[in-house]
Amino acid sequence: MKRAGVLMLAAVPVVLAATAYGSSPTAHDDPRPGAPSAAQQRRAPEGLAAPAMKNLAQELVASAENSTLDWRSAYAYIQDIGDGQGYTAGIIGFCTGTHDLLVLVERYTAAHPGNGLARYLPALRKVDGTDSHQGLDPGFPAAWRAEAKVPAFHAAQDAERDRIYFDPAVSAAKRDGLGPLGQFIYYDAMVFHGPGTDGFYGIRERATQRVKPPAEGGSEKAYLSAFLDVRRATMQAKHPGIDTSRIDTAQRKFLDEGNLSLRTPLVWKVYGETYKVP
């Protein structure tokens, strides 16, 4: 989600693009000399998908999106922050104007008919792709917060986060030969910019034109530096003057420290606030 009071890019309309370059990852032997075998790939560490690492990733995202490390407190979050994407809500910034919130409520309603958000589906379909609140005010924010008390809605938000953002980002990072820090850098970019050629995948394409990723023989640190440069420039081009500290004093800091494994303890700053994970 986008931090209140700070101009943020919203996720673009969701078009799943996990296979935007190459096919979905499959376990097969890589013919390159010294490359891991299929069996070795299957035994590879989970990286950011390991439970403790995934929790750390959510804490890092929440520091930028909600100014907190308590990411679970954001299930009930909902606000129009004036970024042109309508209401921003939930643990990952689902937006009424960017299709992902509509998909979340549709899928949740299919599994749980009669929930407190179902009656807003006609309005959500009408405002999709706009910043309009028509048919949503005044009751939708209160209905969202009420539904966020239901464990099944937590699970629904988690599932959509993974399906749209986390899993595609981590899979893409692994295909590019990136470790936990690189996987997080991809994930945060996917959350902030959304997928698609004008979002995460476009940023990745421009970065690979500068430096080859490790899977193609490049330096991991040099490639990630190029990726962050391209991402920062993308943010500034779309919104001059935007705060880029989630890159500058967080991800860039970890990279400059050589912490490619995203080892704890971690100390970073976002929007001038300091966060620590022991």
Side-chain angles (χ1 to χ4, degrees), residues 2-56:
K2 317 306 180 290
R3 183 178 185 268
V6 178
L7 180 61
M8 291 291 185
L9 294 173
V12 297
V14 175
V15 178
L16 295 182
T19 58
Y21 63 98
S23 59
S24 298
T26 56
H28 61 280
D29 287 324
D30 190 324
R32 294 173 297 176
S37 67
Q40 288 171 326
Q41 291 180 50
R42 287 192 293 268
R43 293 195 300 268
E46 292 180 275
L48 207 67
M53 293 298 292
K54 189 172 184 178
N55 184 71
L56 175 61

Side-chain angles (χ1 to χ4, degrees), residues 89-151:
I91 59 168
I92 212 64
F94 304 103
C95 295
T96 56
T98 59
H99 195 61
D100 54 354
L101 190 147
L102 170 60
V103 173
L104 166 64
V105 177
E106 285 180 335
R107 292 169 70 92
Y108 179 59
T109 300
H112 302 279
N115 69 79
L117 299 175
R119 66 183 182 273
Y120 291 99
L121 277 172
L124 289 170
R125 294 185 181 111
K126 287 182 179 179
V127 304
D128 189 27
T130 78
D131 63 354
S132 174
H133 292 188
Q134 186 174 0
L136 299 178
D137 288 344
F140 183 68
W144 180 280
R145 287 189 287 267
E147 200 65 28
K149 298 177 182 179
V150 179

